[in-house]
Amino acid sequence: MLFSTGAAFFTSLVALSTSATAAPAPGPKDKSAKPPAFFLAGDSTTAVQAENGGGWGDGFLNTTLKSGATGTNYGHNGATTVSFRDGGDWATVLAAAKNARSSYEPYVTIQFGHNDQKPEKNISMAKLTANLVKFVNEVRAVPATAILVTSLSRRRFSTSTGKINENLADVTAATKEAATKTGAKIIDLNAASTKYLNAIGPENAATYNLNPTDFTHLNSQGSVVFGNMVAVLIDEALPELKQHVVPVTKIATALGKGEYYFA
Ligand SMILES: *[C@@H]1O[C@H](CO)[C@@H](O)[C@H](O)[C@H]1NC(C)=O
Ligand SMILES: *[C@@H]1O[C@H](CO)[C@@H](O)[C@H](O)[C@H]1NC(C)=O
């Protein structure tokens, strides 16, 4: 009974996230033959836990990949869609995906927005969409499968409403637009993380902070929780990956019910 409530919690998000996808991506054929390799492109909210950075990437790679699946976290602290390309990270991701092809089916997750939205970066939302569309097209040329990811919510709550400050709406919309334009797979991590954080409340949410005053980056426990959220969303959007992307049952159950999890 409780479990079905949990399933409903996530199903509503998934309906939301997949409705933006107009047409299925023309992905590589016969995905069952090789295990997947995940190459994670993004900013510090994807990146390895370190000073001034820490996202969901390591928790996803360390706890959910099974049956020969593998992956590498290329999240770069402070990155925008512009700096990630100009600094050479993007070329590294594409090369890694290409090199993996003999033994793996490559997937590239793409999550940007936290820095692209900063006024001093001077990146319009139209430009963000265009940069993401270009990323998707270049992933397809590898060939590999692109998965767009909307930005992980920050953990600041409004003192008036008691709910999460939804200050990533612009970059979330720009990412959905890139999915619509390309037909790429997309997971709405922004919606799922916002919903979960609202369900558990500000005190619990802050326990995932990298340090007490950092409401953006995740500590290791947060990486594991939100990494498992990404796994749940990937399995919903790309069911062919279910054998290889296996969320930890107790975490998936807690997420599904909107119940606080910390370990
Ligand atoms: C901001 O970007 C626009 C469009 O690329 C450009 O025309 C303008 O010069 C830039 N402004 C600054 C201050 O860099
Ligand atoms: C994931 O595993 C690596 C390698 O053991 C480790 O350095 C890192 O801290 C782990 N990350 C998390 C979030 O547990």
Side-chain angles (χ1 to χ4, degrees):
M1 285 320 217
L2 282 172
F3 192 79
S4 62
T5 308
F9 184 85
F10 251 109
T11 304
S12 57
L13 296 173
V14 169
L16 216 164
S17 65
T18 50
S19 62
T21 305
K29 296 197 169 57
D30 193 19
K31 290 180 196 211
S32 57
K34 295 174 195 166
F38 291 89
F39 302 97
L40 314 184
D43 56 33
S44 60
T45 62
T46 297
V48 172
Q49 276 54 45
E51 205 181 327
N52 297 321
W56 55 265
D58 268 30
F60 169 76
L61 297 173
N62 286 6
T63 69
T64 77
L65 299 187
K66 306 292 173 204
S67 305
T70 188
T72 308
N73 191 349
Y74 289 102
H76 190 139
N77 296 351
T80 66
T81 50
V82 173
S83 74
F84 201 80
R85 178 184 293 282
D86 290 351
D89 296 292
W90 183 243
T92 302
V93 168
L94 293 180
K98 199 174 185 68
N99 287 339
R101 287 192 71 244
S102 56
S103 310
Y104 297 95
E105 194 59 56
Y107 291 79
V108 178
T109 67
I110 304 169
Q111 187 211 281
F112 290 93
H114 276 262
N115 303 306
D116 293 70
Q117 78 170 180
K118 291 176 180 166
E120 67 271 24
K121 300 296 184 185
N122 191 27
I123 299 170
S124 69
M125 290 304 105
K127 182 72 178 158
L128 172 57
T129 296
N131 291 346
L132 293 171
V133 165
K134 198 166 178 215
F135 281 164
V136 168
N137 289 333
E138 290 167 350
V139 168
R140 287 174 169 172
V142 167
T145 302
I147 306 174
L148 290 164
V149 183
T150 62
S151 289
L152 178 74
S153 179
R154 300 183 177 109
R155 292 175 302 285
R156 295 271 186 197
F157 286 71
S158 158
T159 47
S160 53
T161 65
K163 296 294 181 191
I164 280 286
N165 286 328
E166 294 190 31
N167 52 22
L168 291 153
D170 56 352
V171 296
T172 294
T175 306
K176 288 180 179 174
E177 180 66 11
T180 301
K181 285 195 151 135
T182 56
K185 296 291 182 183
I186 180 168
I187 61 169
D188 197 350
L189 179 60
N190 183 261
S193 56
T194 299
K195 189 167 185 177
Y196 176 66
L197 292 167
N198 279 333
I200 65 171
E203 281 182 27
N204 289 333
T207 64
Y208 302 131
N209 290 2
L210 182 71
N211 65 57
T213 57
D214 185 339
F215 289 80
T216 298
H217 302 119
L218 299 167
N219 57 22
S220 295
Q221 292 88 348
S223 184
V224 170
V225 168
F226 292 94
N228 274 268
M229 181 179 284
V230 167
V232 170
L233 295 171
I234 284 180
D235 284 346
E236 294 282 358
L238 297 95
E240 71 271 23
L241 289 173
K242 276 184 179 173
Q243 273 182 291
H244 290 103
V245 179
V246 185
V248 177
T249 304
K250 61 189 172 183
I251 302 178
T253 302
L255 291 174
K257 292 187 206 167
E259 281 179 1
Y260 176 56
Y261 182 93
F262 190 89

